Amino acid sequence: MKHFLYLFALDQKVATIAYQAKQDLWSLEYDANWVTSPNAFPLSPTLPLFSVNNIDTSGTIKRFVENLLPEGRALDISASTYGVTKNNVFALIQQLGVETAGAFRFCIDSPALTAEKQDKSDKPKREITIEELENRLCQRDQIPFVVWDKKVRMSIAGYQDKLTVLLHQDNGISRLFLAAPPLASTHILKPEPMGRNMPHLVANEYYCMTLAKRMGFPVAEVGILRVPRPILLVKRFDRELIETSTGLAVNRLHMVDACQASDLPVSFKYERNLGSNEQVLHIRDGMSFEKLFACVDQTINKASAKLSLLRWALFQFLIGNCDAHGKNFSFFVERDGLVPAPWYDLISVVQYPEISHELAMAFGDVFELDEAKGFAFADFAQRCSIPRTLLHREAVKVANSAIKHAEAVASDDEFAEEEKAFIRKLSAFVIQQSELLKIYTKEALKIDSDFL
């Protein structure tokens, strides 16, 4: 028996996904009208608009869909809420596919029935007040933050508690709503994690994202919402809220993360995809800097894309983001290829001693941040086809810019009194890493190529 899902971009049918459960076979057929549209684009580079309906693409389709689903506790809650197993990808995307990352909506009904059932109102209805947010944060042990009105509201990838919302300015007042079709969410709420091993995570991410922005890098817009507990408010760069003559509309932009662009399953987002136990630490089939830079071949402007990836990699070193993995870099999908998307999820993981500091992707063969020195950077450049002169030149620019802005960002009025000492420490760390980056990439220039 075949099951079907219909994909839409706004009101236009894009494709049909067919699924045979017992055989775990997936197939994809693009709609003829979509393929001939001048504005059409594929789901991902590995699922082009032509010649995808064959058995060889079954695994690729499943991996693309699986990468859209939440992970960890949010996945457990989703599976439990809908009475399915965690590995039932089709059933989960059937329930969560209305509001995934990117442009497409996954619908279980036929196109005609979906159009009839859809709420045509252009006004958001279910408002979330600040008081309700604070109450829900207090109740997270009893009611998962991702569940609202008995529905799972987190349909985007990641482990951390998140809630997708629509932020709308009404007579100059910002109001939050749970989004429902035909409208979509415009922002993501990320509260502090439960437990005490990652304090001030909201301030941490706000600092790192704001520093990147001050340095001139493309990043998602962020702010801190205090209810009074801090919540990071992230503007979705794959959404555009539009005020039309007939009301509100949300334009959805299509994007894929690096795992989807590389046709890797979510379990391969770390380079050591089997873990770092002694028996398997040599296995490195997951996302690596080498694989990430290979995505440049799929981009429209290859020189610009390579430079963007290089600066992103160097910035992770500066802030100590050991958890910069394959799902933490994304690309917009256009008909002619990929375009790097703004940066997101920038966090200084090394500030938390109870969290693993093993690098998600190694610099060369080095998986420890404090061991990433001259040879490791030379090896990194060799594997990623980056001239070492370019590596050093960009490293000096990035480092000097970080040194210039680090302390000023730490003095931002956005930080609460109890967060300031933590942020000053983080700022000092960034400055220290910046000085080291200049030294190590200069050392990399002197490494004999025969040793690489």
Side-chain angles (χ1 to χ4, degrees):
M1 181 177 179
K2 281 189 178 182
H3 306 278
F4 296 93
L5 279 174
Y6 303 96
L7 274 68
F8 290 90
L10 294 178
D11 291 328
Q12 184 170 1
K13 185 184 176 186
V14 172
T16 301
I17 288 179
Y19 174 61
Q20 294 173 263
K22 189 172 183 179
Q23 296 82 5
D24 195 26
L25 289 178
W26 298 68
S27 61
L28 171 71
E29 183 177 1
Y30 286 106
D31 186 81
N33 291 330
W34 175 256
V35 172
T36 57
S37 169
N39 298 319
F41 45 82
L43 271 70
S44 79
T46 55
L47 295 168
L49 289 172
F50 304 97
S51 303
V52 298
N53 193 14
N54 60 74
I55 194 169
D56 294 333
T57 62
S58 177
T60 299
I61 298 165
K62 181 179 180 179
R63 287 187 287 275
F64 171 84
V65 173
E66 182 186 29
N67 272 293
L68 296 172
L69 298 174
E71 302 168 61
R73 183 169 180 259
L75 180 59
D76 292 340
I77 293 166
S78 299
S80 176
T81 300
Y82 297 117
V84 298
T85 61
K86 291 190 294 183
N87 60 353
N88 193 335
V89 175
F90 185 88
L92 288 168
I93 199 64
Q94 171 187 318
Q95 296 291 343
L96 302 174
V98 172
E99 183 67 305
T100 61
F104 302 123
R105 291 185 294 116
F106 294 75
C107 304
I108 192 65
D109 290 328
S110 68
L113 288 175
T114 298
E116 289 176 9
K117 290 182 179 180
Q118 194 178 78
D119 180 2
K120 293 297 183 179
S121 171
D122 59 6
K123 295 181 180 180
K125 292 182 172 62
R126 172 61 165 91
E127 184 171 5
I128 303 174
T129 65
I130 296 298
E131 293 75 19
E132 186 177 13
L133 265 179
E134 174 62 12
N135 289 337
R136 287 301 310 274
L137 290 178
C138 295
Q139 298 172 359
R140 273 199 287 177
D141 285 338
Q142 294 79 37
I143 307 174
F145 188 68
V146 297
V147 176
W148 289 70
D149 302 338
K150 299 182 180 180
K151 293 182 180 179
V152 176
R153 297 286 181 167
M154 177 183 170
S155 51
I156 50 179
Y159 272 88
Q160 190 179 343
D161 273 353
K162 301 173 188 175
L163 179 66
T164 54
V165 296
L166 188 151
L167 177 64
H168 176 48
Q169 294 281 344
D170 188 8
N171 293 323
I173 300 174
S174 296
R175 300 171 65 188
L176 297 174
F177 298 86
L178 294 176
L183 296 174
S185 65
T186 59
H187 289 71
I188 301 170
L189 300 181
K190 299 173 67 175
E192 295 274 24
M194 295 189 294
R196 299 181 179 180
N197 60 346
M198 298 183 74
H200 307 308
L201 186 64
V202 168
N204 184 331
E205 186 168 353
Y206 176 85
Y207 174 87
C208 294
M209 295 284 285
T210 303
L211 175 62
K213 182 178 181 180
R214 296 273 183 92
M215 293 168 64
F217 296 136
V219 294
E221 296 179 21
V222 295
I224 299 180
L225 177 65
R226 299 190 185 273
V227 297
R229 303 183 194 207
I231 300 175
L232 191 73
L233 181 68
V234 185
K235 186 178 186 298
R236 296 188 66 161
F237 49 78
D238 61 339
R239 301 287 189 269
E240 293 177 340
L241 182 63
I242 304 168
E243 298 272 2
T244 71
S245 58
T246 57
L248 290 178
V250 179
N251 185 29
R252 300 173 60 144
L253 308 177
H254 194 45
M255 54 173 266
V256 293
D257 62 43
C259 283
Q260 291 171 310
S262 304
D263 194 17
L264 294 176
V266 64
S267 59
F268 278 51
K269 70 179 185 179
Y270 293 109
E271 184 169 348
R272 283 177 169 161
N273 55 297
L274 296 183
S276 53
N277 290 334
E278 185 176 354
Q279 297 88 341
V280 295
L281 59 79
H282 63 286
I283 299 174
R284 299 164 58 177
D285 293 335
M287 178 58 67
S288 62
F289 279 123
E290 189 173 358
K291 288 186 176 72
L292 179 61
F293 276 80
C295 293
V296 168
D297 292 338
Q298 304 167 3
T299 61
I300 297 173
N301 188 327
K302 294 176 175 55
S304 175
K306 177 172 280 192
L307 204 55
S308 179
L309 283 171
L310 174 57
R311 291 166 176 168
W312 179 84
L314 295 175
F315 190 79
Q316 309 308 318
F317 177 85
L318 292 191
I319 64 174
N321 186 10
C322 309
D323 198 41
H325 52 68
K327 296 183 69 63
N328 278 353
F329 195 95
S330 290
F331 301 88
F332 290 122
V333 181
E334 299 183 4
R335 190 180 184 94
D336 296 330
L338 302 180
V339 177
W343 302 356
Y344 55 96
D345 286 357
L346 302 176
I347 297 169
S348 180
V349 175
V350 297
Q351 305 306 313
Y352 306 114
E354 297 181 21
I355 304 298
S356 172
H357 292 173
E358 180 176 306
L359 293 172
M361 297 187 288
F363 286 101
D365 283 324
V366 171
F367 282 89
E368 298 295 331
L369 191 67
D370 57 3
E371 294 178 9
K373 299 180 181 179
F375 189 88
F377 277 103
D379 194 1
F380 159 78
Q382 176 89 354
R383 293 169 189 246
C384 300
S385 301
I386 301 168
R388 279 182 269 167
T389 51
L390 173 64
L391 169 68
H392 179 57
R393 184 172 71 243
E394 286 302 314
V396 170
K397 288 181 182 178
V398 170
N400 286 339
S401 182
I403 292 169
K404 177 181 177 182
H405 295 288
E407 291 183 347
V409 175
S411 302
D412 197 312
D413 292 338
E414 195 69 51
F415 299 113
E417 192 63 36
E418 63 272 15
E419 299 165 342
K420 290 181 179 179
F422 176 91
I423 294 300
R424 284 195 297 269
K425 179 184 175 185
L426 173 51
S427 173
F429 175 83
V430 169
I431 293 172
Q432 170 188 296
Q433 289 294 101
S434 299
E435 298 292 358
L436 291 175
L437 182 63
K438 291 189 286 185
I439 294 171
Y440 295 154
T441 54
K442 186 175 182 179
E443 290 176 356
L445 293 171
K446 303 173 185 178
I447 303 296
D448 191 326
S449 297
D450 291 339
F451 295 125
L452 299 174

